[in-house]
Structures are given as structure tokens and as C-alpha cells.
Amino acid sequence: MDSAGRHWKEEVPPEHAYKRRAGAAAPTAEQDKAAGGRNRRWVALDDNRYARASISLRLYRRTRRIRAYLRWSKDGETQERYVCEVAHDWRGANLAEAWRCAWEQGFLVEKPLPENSKASSVAVRANMQANRARDTGPELALRSLLHASGLRYRVDARPIPEIRRRADVVFPRERVAVFVDGCFWHGCPKHSRPAKKNADFWSTKIKGNVERDTETNELLLSAGWTVLRVWEHDDPSTAAENVAIAVAKARLGLVGL
């Protein structure tokens, strides 16, 4: 129901209920968030194989309803399965409901851990894989928004060439360095959880990463750089706005020299 008391069965739903908005998070990041993590998106194929699925929202104008479909690829061909109808005001809520319904109907599975995995769970392993390299979903989402706003930058570069520390996004002239930190690897205070398997190993590893992050911040700050750290769970639009503000301030400082 909307503020005027009209139901979607009586008129077409608003576009923001099913369409991706301009500047939104990258599709992969959006699907991961709605599903509750990339490890929650697996469909079982034959021969012990798995495929990562996505939810597609479609508006049927004749009936004025939004339907959710589960989509994945098998042997190079797209597969699809109807999940449910959704009726929330916003796309994110509709995606989340569709993923929940897909799980309830048994369309999705948890991919087993490899025998040699050091992770304590499927969720922990997914976080490790998602955040151990450049070009992660959160990084791509942030960079896309920065680029769309007209900002240009270097990617995965050393702010100070002589120091072996790399930032995810670097503005060399403005001396602004941006790090997009994964919750698992960098000890996020909101989402980091003690590992149950190889607990001592992972505790030492994460502690070392946090100490290195602090040292990196201090090195860059002492060299006159502005340092911004963005958690992977942060809203990319807010993060991009904060980066743009920092770059604008740095440019004003350069003009004043």
C-alpha cells in the first residue's frame, strides 16, 4: 500500500521496487548483500558441481505484479526458476525476500568445504575468498561511483613508492589514499567473529593485519597523506561521498599554496 491507499494490483509498482538505480552497488555486491553472503547463493548441479545464482526481478504490467526468478548458468546455458511474487517498496527488500523464499523452497544449498580448507565454516571461507585480492565487489562499487562523479585515480597503488604499502584507490596529486577493508581479514568490530578451526592461527593472522593497518595509517599521515578506510559492509554511496569530500578539501589546500 502507498500513502494514498492504492495497492499495486491497481496500478504499476514504482521503478525503485524492481530496477537497479544509477550509482547503486555493483550487481554482485548487491546480490551478496541481499542473499546474506556470497556463500548463500549456490545451486547444486549434477556431478557434485555448483553454480552461483542471482535473483532477477521482473515487472508484469498486465497484472501489475513483480515476480522473482532464480537464475544460474549450467554448461554455458542460462537456467531459470520462478521463486515468488514480491511487493516491497524497494528493490533491496524484494531481493532479500526472494532469496529467503528460495532457501525455504530448497532451491539453494551450502557448498561443502574442501578437505584441505583452513576455514572454520563455508561463510568464513567465502569471506576469505572475497577479500584476499584486488577488484572485490565493494572496491568495484566504490570505484564506479567515484568515476561516475568525475574523479580519476590510481588503483591498487603505493601512495609512497618507497614504502611497500598499497592502497585500493589513490589520488596522487591530492595525496589521498583509500583502503577498502574486508571484514574478515581486517578484524571488523561489527562482523569479525573468532574462528573455531585453527583459532590460534587466525587470531594471530588477523591481529597482525590490524597492527599493519595502524602502522600504514601512521606512515601515510606522517608523510602528509589523508587516509580513509572503508569497510566492505559500508554503504558505497556514503563512502564515495566521503572520499569526494576529502579530495575536494585536498584540492583547496593545493590552490592555497
Side-chain angles (χ1 to χ4, degrees):
M1 301 288 287
D2 64 14
S3 59
R6 294 167 296 192
H7 194 280
W8 284 1
K9 293 180 181 179
E10 299 170 3
E11 63 178 42
V12 178
E15 288 191 353
H16 54 66
Y18 59 93
K19 278 191 176 182
R20 292 188 72 248
R21 62 179 176 82
T28 298
E30 179 190 45
Q31 294 285 341
D32 288 348
K33 181 178 180 180
R38 65 167 35 193
N39 59 300
R40 301 275 296 171
R41 293 174 52 194
W42 292 108
V43 172
L45 307 179
D46 50 9
D47 300 326
N48 294 320
R49 294 184 300 159
Y50 300 85
R52 184 170 285 119
S54 296
I55 290 290
S56 174
L57 300 179
R58 297 181 194 164
L59 169 66
Y60 286 78
R61 291 188 176 275
R62 185 179 64 84
T63 58
R64 302 179 181 88
R65 287 179 168 87
I66 299 173
R67 291 187 173 184
Y69 293 83
L70 195 67
R71 291 168 58 88
W72 66 96
S73 179
K74 179 181 179 182
D75 299 325
E77 295 186 1
T78 299
Q79 309 292 313
E80 186 173 273
R81 191 168 198 170
Y82 171 72
V83 178
C84 62
E85 285 189 359
V86 290
H88 295 286
D89 289 342
W90 297 97
R91 174 179 166 85
N94 284 326
L95 288 175
E97 180 176 348
W99 281 111
R100 179 180 57 78
C101 289
W103 271 100
E104 289 178 351
Q105 295 177 66
F107 297 161
L108 300 163
V109 297
E110 284 199 355
K111 188 177 179 182
L113 282 170
E115 292 183 2
N116 61 347
S117 175
K118 293 182 178 180
S120 59
S121 68
V122 174
V124 168
R125 184 170 187 269
N127 285 334
M128 291 162 57
Q129 291 179 321
N131 295 291
R132 65 185 176 190
R134 57 173 285 179
D135 297 335
T136 62
E139 287 178 32
L140 294 174
L142 175 61
R143 281 157 39 190
S144 176
L145 290 170
L146 293 175
H147 193 277
S149 69
L151 294 175
R152 298 299 179 262
Y153 44 80
R154 295 183 64 192
V155 175
D156 188 33
R158 293 184 187 180
I160 303 174
E162 297 78 16
I163 299 178
R164 295 174 60 84
R165 304 293 168 91
R166 309 180 77 85
D168 298 304
V169 177
V170 177
F171 297 86
R173 182 171 180 271
E174 295 82 1
R175 300 171 76 83
V176 174
V178 184
F179 298 84
V180 182
D181 294 336
C183 291
F184 176 82
W185 288 108
H186 295 266
C188 169
K190 287 187 177 180
H191 303 117
S192 181
R193 298 290 184 272
K196 296 180 180 178
K197 184 178 180 181
N198 298 316
D200 291 341
F201 171 83
W202 287 116
S203 176
T204 301
K205 176 68 175 176
I206 303 305
K207 181 181 178 182
N209 289 345
V210 173
E211 291 175 350
R212 181 180 173 85
D213 291 342
T214 300
E215 183 183 50
T216 298
N217 293 348
E218 293 173 350
L219 287 170
L220 293 179
L221 289 171
S222 64
W225 283 73
T226 297
V227 179
L228 289 88
R229 287 196 174 268
V230 178
W231 288 111
E232 65 168 309
H233 64 260
D234 287 341
D235 177 69
S237 297
T238 301
E241 183 178 353
N242 291 337
V243 173
I245 291 172
V247 171
K249 288 182 177 179
R251 288 177 177 173
L252 285 175
L254 291 173
V255 171
L257 294 178

